Amino acid sequence: HCTLLYFHALKFVEFFISYFMTVFVHTKIIYYNIVFFFFFQAEDGIRDAQESRGLGDVYKRQAQVIASVNLGWNDILGDSIYSLVHSLLPLSGLLKLDLNYNSIGDDGARHVAQLIQDGSLTFLDLVKNSINEEGVQVIAQALGQNRSLKALHLGMNNIADEGLMHLAGALTTNDTLLTLDVETNRIGPQGVEEFAEVLKEMNRTLTAINLQDNEIGDRGAVSLASMLESSESLGMVDIRSNQITITGCEALAAALRKCVVPNLNLDLRSNTVMNADVNSQLQELSNSDSQIYIQWDYSPESVTETGTNQPAHEVESPDYCPESETCLADQMQVERMLGIIEDQADIAFDNATWYLTKQPELAKLMWECAHSDGSDSAMMRCLEICHNLLQHSITQQAEIFPAMIVDTCLSELGYFCQVLQRPPSAGPVALHTTFGTVPERFGSLRLCVVDLVCDLLQAPDKEVVESICKARVLQIILDHFFAYEWNNLLHCSVLQILSAGLNGESTQEGQQIVIKHIFAPASAGGCGLLQRMLDVYDTKCPRPDSQVAQTESPMQEGELVDGTVLEKQLVAASLTCGYMNAIIDTTIMLSESPHFFVEDLESEELTERWGDFIQTVLSQLKPIMGECLGGGIPPQSAAPPCSQM
């Protein structure tokens, strides 16, 4: 994805003003309250600052079609969306847009609706964006005219009954949408009644609906039951946490006995009550030959005097499907997620986070299937699914880290090391760029491994950090950081790893373990990163001699360097390698971190060098770090797309 640099869209107007954008796009990343600056080498062929028109112009000039843009978790507000949408509209091949966890509001929704109406999107994620009834009304109007969108995620907004009614109206004319996610939206029975009526009478294409954590109650459940009796398309219905009682469950059980759709997955967990009779009906349906998979809460020990059952949150939901059918159904679902078997519009992959949140036990099966298939594409999907799931936990509910997912990933650390140590399996080896020839590409598979390691380091568990350090996977990643001088995506990912180590959610003891492992010298069993960074800086930016500094005598140790001289050195150094900014950002982060104590690295020489570096370099650099250190416009040459880096 071209946007793995996580462009901070609030700065679009400031940094992408027409006629002022150069080949370096100054991007801002907010990551756990630490602000980093990166300079994205625009390997897109733009060399004339007067002809550049911002991000959209960069994308238009890419030789390869950009199919996916991810700008989730960037605090994007509605007043910034106009610039973003008009930058993305020229991308005729754009299929997926992820804007989850921003704050675009109803104003931003109006602009995004233009992408739905005029674009080629097949996947749109607008989860938690402060969208109300007015915003979803405009989205629904565009959806009614759309003929490409397959998945629409609107969870955790505020669309209520009226918003769902607008979406129902859109589905009377839309015959392409397959997945609709409207969880946690204050939706009640009135909205569900109209929605179910539309699905029953006028729509035969929607295959998955997520209504989790709303307020549909028995009335809404009865409406859905009536719809399920005749539905020929719905394969997944999630109505967890919806205040459904025995009445609603009985209506659903009766409807399922008449249901004709194959492979229906119905999730009823975390609702108000359940008795032995309804439990028996659901179990009978699950054990039938209809291939209906139902999840619900029932524990005989928690049945009250009235014969009802309170939500059994601590009781593991039983798997009532016959074992062989369940395994086959799960394997087919996982293979669709991994692209091993055909999946219409990649719906299973796009909804993989949803599936694994419901069934974390599928993670082990997913890794097994990826290894069994043996293709890079299946393994990349597996890595991306785990990455997305862990990111969801990190940003939304770090205290509830998915232990089963983490454990399966840790069991693959040996495989991660193998992948990182071998070159990409496909494509030409050499890559010619505007800055010279890259003898070997890093490859997307290895980059996915790096991102997943970064996610694992943020687990609030000392044992996870210890396992990663013992596997020596960080040593391999840091070696690649210096070896691939122009791979900005790799440098960005490594900087996030360092941030996770210094500012992650692990225990204080876990943080000290990873910090010492990364920065301690090799003689002390560490990766030696601090020493390597200081060595690189001294090589690329040597202490100025008498001519450069315009002084009568050479510079003495501990003597301050003029900030302007340092800035010129860094500009020159940035033209020889692409990781200088990451090195400077890391050293500044270290100097300001309350968790880093150079004395803990047990090296007197390193302690002395670090103190001198802070005094002579960082103290002069910090005031000018707001300026671009990316250097001038590189010479003209034929440049490949950034995705090939």
Side-chain angles (χ1 to χ4, degrees), residues 598-617:
V598 69
E599 295 79 12
D600 293 342
L601 303 185
E602 302 174 3
S603 170
E604 292 184 6
E605 178 186 356
L606 203 55
T607 300
E608 183 177 346
R609 287 187 68 187
W610 176 242
D612 182 62
F613 184 79
I614 291 176
Q615 180 183 357
T616 61
V617 178

Side-chain angles (χ1 to χ4, degrees), residues 468-480:
I468 294 172
C469 293
K470 287 179 181 177
R472 303 297 293 175
V473 65
L474 294 177
Q475 178 70 66
I476 301 171
I477 291 173
L478 293 174
D479 288 344
H480 286 320

Side-chain angles (χ1 to χ4, degrees), residues 30 49 60 66 102 125 179 184 229 252 256 273 300 309 315 345 435 441 453 473 486 530 599 602:
I30 294 186
K60 282 190 295 183
I66 294 176
N102 286 292
D125 191 340
T179 297
T184 319
E229 285 186 15
L252 287 164
L256 292 177
V273 291
N309 180 69
V315 179
F435 295 90
R441 305 185 189 197
V453 170
V473 65
W486 294 111
L530 181 58
E599 295 79 12
E602 302 174 3

Side-chain angles (χ1 to χ4, degrees), residues 252-328:
L252 287 164
L256 292 177
R257 282 193 287 269
K258 304 175 185 177
C259 182
V260 296
V261 67
N263 302 314
L264 175 64
N265 186 328
L266 175 64
D267 198 333
L268 275 168
R269 289 174 295 174
S270 301
N271 280 297
T272 306
V273 291
M274 180 77 67
N275 64 14
D277 182 52
V278 175
N279 174 67
S280 175
Q281 294 181 50
L282 294 176
Q283 186 170 356
E284 180 183 350
L285 281 164
S286 292
N287 290 333
S288 69
D289 296 329
S290 59
Q291 296 186 359
I292 294 176
Y293 182 61
I294 311 172
Q295 294 172 284
W296 71 95
D297 295 318
Y298 177 72
S299 175
E301 293 78 8
S302 61
V303 175
T304 66
E305 293 180 359
T306 61
T308 61
N309 180 69
Q310 300 302 324
H313 298 291
E314 301 303 321
V315 179
E316 184 176 351
S317 298
D319 184 2
Y320 290 116
C321 290
E323 184 176 353
S324 59
E325 292 183 8
T326 301
C327 292
L328 179 60

